[in-house]
Structures are given as structure tokens and as C-alpha cells.
């Protein structure tokens, strides 16, 4: 039975897509079967894995509409053991189109029932908003990873996101768990970066991943080549950070299952 993890934060530029793409690639390298669902109309996770988003005919939009099955929308990518359900700019319209539908928050959850057993992990790259797309992701997910950048406004908006998660737990998905808070864009030379790490760890203790994603030029370059950091430069600090995160998630989940 696959575990569905949403990567969410309504703030833009915190490393959501970078995390989704590179965590998927890292889990794949560690021989886990991974499905990445791009639920962001900007489609950066799709292009970051080398998919030509302009040519996408069946993707997340059709899954949410239930006009196609996840299997029909799935594309194999160059990262080993990673498959993608890509996004297209037309995903922007889905929020309006779903508004009148019954069970509109459950469209993604229902669609994924048919493929949940085929993968070890299903990762959902959420849009930088708390709209219906993100709500669908949180309703479908078993847990959520929240990336937080080590910068001045890091904790701004986090309360709002945690409240949204609480209300999703209350109304739509009682079993939704917080997988962890992930500190990203860390620069050890900056006092501010270190202060943010201290503050987040002090406030949230065990909820924070041990792994911290450091600022890394290779991480920024990889998407422009349509590659994950693992494919682009497996020796880089970024690759090492994300492999460490993947190991941490696998270990955490195997101990829960009691393996």
C-alpha cells in the first residue's frame, strides 16, 4: 500500500517543487517505486523532470475531472523508479470547474484509489495557495511535508497552513499526519539562517526533519536541464541532502509499520 505525501506551503519560493522532484528521485534511487503528481498549474515539477508540458494531453486536470484514469496519465521519466502525472497550464481552470461538483474535495482521493497499491510513495507537488487544488491534495494524502526556507519571513503564513491542515483533519481527512517540517535554503554563514533553524526547532521539536537542505547552486541549475539533482550531479551537496531526507522518511515509515 503506497503512502501518499503532499508537499505543501502556500508561500511561493520555499523549495516545494525542488523538494518534490528531488525527494522522488532520491526515493527512486533507494529502490522505492514512486509516483509524482504535479498539482501546480505552473507545472515546474513536470518540466523539472524533463517532460515537455506543452505536449501534455492527459495529466492532473483529467484525473481531477475523472475523465481519465491515473494510469492513462502516467509518464515514465528518466529518473529510475519514478513516474509522473504531469500538469499543464489548463489546471488553472480546475478550481472553477470543480466548485459546483459534489464531493469536490475528494476528486483526487477517489482517482488515486486505483493506483495506491502500485507504488511505495506517491508525492503531490501542491500549488502555492490554499485553494481547492491543495485541499484535494491534503484530503488525498496520508501526510504532509512542509518546506520552510531559512529566511526572515519563514514562519509567516505557517500558522495559516497549520490551521488549514487542522480543518482538513477535522472535516475531510482525520488520518492526515504531518510528516515533518523541512528547513530549506540554509546557509550556515548567515546568522539569520541559524536563527531560523533554532526558532523552528524550538517551537516544533520532533516535527522538524533532522535533514536540512542547504543552499546549493547545483540544485538551482538542475531544473533548467530537465533533471533531478541525482541525475544532474549525484556528488553535489544538494543530492546528498535529498538522499538523506529520503532515508529519513523511509526509516520513519518502516518503524511505524514495525518492519
Amino acid at each position: 500500500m503506497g503512502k501518499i505525501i503532499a508537499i505543501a506551503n502556500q508561500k511561493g519560493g520555499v523549495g516545494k517543487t525542488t523538494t518534490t522532484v528531488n525527494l522522488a528521485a532520491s526515493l527512486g534511487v533507494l529502490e522505492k517505486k514512486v509516483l509524482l503528481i504535479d498539482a501546480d498549474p505552473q507545472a515546474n515539477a513536470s518540466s523539472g523532470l524533463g517532460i515537455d508540458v506543452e505536449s501534455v494531453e492527459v495529466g492532473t486536470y483529467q484525473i481531477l475531472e475523472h475523465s481519465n484514469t491515473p494510469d492513462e496519465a502516467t509518464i515514465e521519466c528518466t529518473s529510475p523508479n519514478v513516474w509522473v502525472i504531469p500538469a499543464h497550464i489548463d489546471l488553472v481552470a480546475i478550481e472553477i470547474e470543480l466548485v459546483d461538483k459534489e464531493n469536490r474535495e475528494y476528486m483526487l482521493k477517489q482517482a488515486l484509489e486505483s493506483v495506491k497499491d502500485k507504488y511505495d510513495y506517491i508525492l503531490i507537488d501542491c500549488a502555492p495557495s490554499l485553494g481547492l487544488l491543495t485541499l484535494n491534495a491534503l484530503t488525498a494524502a496520508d501526510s504532509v511535508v512542509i518546506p520552510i526556507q531559512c529566511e526572515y519571513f519563514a514562519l509567516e503564513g505557517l500558522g495559516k497552513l497549520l490551521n488549514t491542515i487542522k480543518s482538513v483533519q477535522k472535516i475531510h481527512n482525520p488520518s492526515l499526519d504531518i510528516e515533518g517540517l523541512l528547513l530549506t535554503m540554509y546557509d550556515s554563514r548567515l546568522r539569520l539562517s541559524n536563527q531560523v533553524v533554532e526558532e523552528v526547532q524550538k517551537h516544533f521539536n520532533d516535527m522538524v526533519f533532522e535533514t536540512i537542505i542547504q543552499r546549493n547552486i547545483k540544485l538551482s541549475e538542475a531544473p533548467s536541464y530537465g533533471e533531478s539533482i541525482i541525475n544532474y550531479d549525484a556528488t553535489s551537496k544538494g543530492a546528498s541532502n535529498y538522499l538523506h531526507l529520503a532515508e529519513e522518511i523511509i526509516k520513519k515509515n518502516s518503524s511505524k509499520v514495525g518492519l
Side-chain angles (χ1 to χ4, degrees):
M1 188 75 145
K3 178 161 195 182
I4 303 177
I5 303 176
I7 289 86
N9 190 330
Q10 78 274 25
K11 266 173 78 67
V14 296
K16 266 193 308 294
T17 300
T18 302
T19 294
T20 313
V21 166
N22 295 312
L23 176 57
S26 300
L27 287 166
V29 164
L30 297 170
E31 298 185 348
K32 298 293 177 188
K33 208 173 167 193
V34 184
L35 175 65
L36 188 158
I37 299 170
D38 193 345
D40 182 349
Q42 293 173 71
N44 291 339
S46 307
S47 60
L49 282 169
I51 292 164
D52 174 15
V53 293
E54 292 305 316
S55 66
V56 169
E57 285 176 17
V58 181
T60 312
Y61 179 90
Q62 286 74 19
I63 300 302
L64 283 158
E65 270 205 328
H66 292 184
S67 57
N68 288 85
T69 66
D71 280 338
E72 290 167 337
T74 301
I75 297 173
E76 193 169 354
C77 66
T78 51
S79 279
N81 298 319
V82 179
W83 287 260
V84 181
I85 293 180
H88 185 274
I89 192 66
D90 62 7
L91 197 53
V92 167
I94 200 77
E95 304 228 341
I96 299 156
E97 288 176 28
L98 288 181
V99 157
D100 300 329
K101 295 221 173 162
E102 211 179 322
N103 292 333
R104 58 179 185 256
E105 298 91 352
Y106 297 92
M107 301 302 268
L108 186 58
K109 185 183 175 72
Q110 290 163 359
L112 293 180
E113 290 297 329
S114 64
V115 293
K116 204 173 173 184
D117 292 344
K118 293 186 179 180
Y119 300 93
D120 296 304
Y121 290 94
I122 297 175
L123 304 183
I124 309 172
D125 186 31
C126 295
S129 74
L130 294 176
L132 201 46
L133 265 173
T134 300
L135 192 53
N136 260 275
L138 294 175
T139 302
D142 298 305
S143 68
V144 55
V145 167
I146 305 170
I148 299 171
Q149 86 280 42
C150 297
E151 284 168 13
Y152 185 65
F153 292 115
L155 298 177
E156 193 186 64
L158 184 58
K160 202 173 176 186
L161 177 61
L162 294 172
N163 284 337
T164 300
I165 290 168
K166 266 189 197 140
S167 69
V168 169
Q169 286 167 329
K170 209 171 176 174
I171 304 164
H172 306 295
N173 184 2
S175 56
L176 180 66
D177 211 357
I178 292 179
E179 189 75 27
L181 275 62
L182 176 68
L183 290 155
T184 63
M185 304 179 196
Y186 172 71
D187 185 339
S188 59
R189 297 165 303 179
L190 299 179
R191 203 172 88 210
L192 180 61
S193 268
N194 293 304
Q195 282 173 341
V196 170
V197 169
E198 269 176 47
E199 201 171 322
V200 171
Q201 287 173 339
K202 188 176 80 189
H203 277 87
F204 298 101
N205 305 323
D206 298 344
M207 282 166 70
V208 187
F209 284 111
E210 277 174 33
T211 307
I212 294 177
I213 308 299
Q214 288 163 293
R215 224 176 241 293
N216 178 253
I217 192 74
K218 300 283 188 193
L219 271 179
S220 314
E221 288 172 0
S224 60
Y225 292 90
E227 291 184 340
S228 73
I229 190 64
I230 308 294
N231 281 23
Y232 182 64
D233 186 350
T235 62
S236 67
K237 196 76 191 157
S240 151
N241 287 167
Y242 277 109
L243 278 166
H244 198 275
L245 175 66
E247 284 165 354
E248 197 176 335
I249 287 174
I250 291 168
K251 190 177 167 191
K252 185 177 175 183
N253 285 292
S254 61
S255 67
K256 275 185 187 169
V257 187
L259 293 176

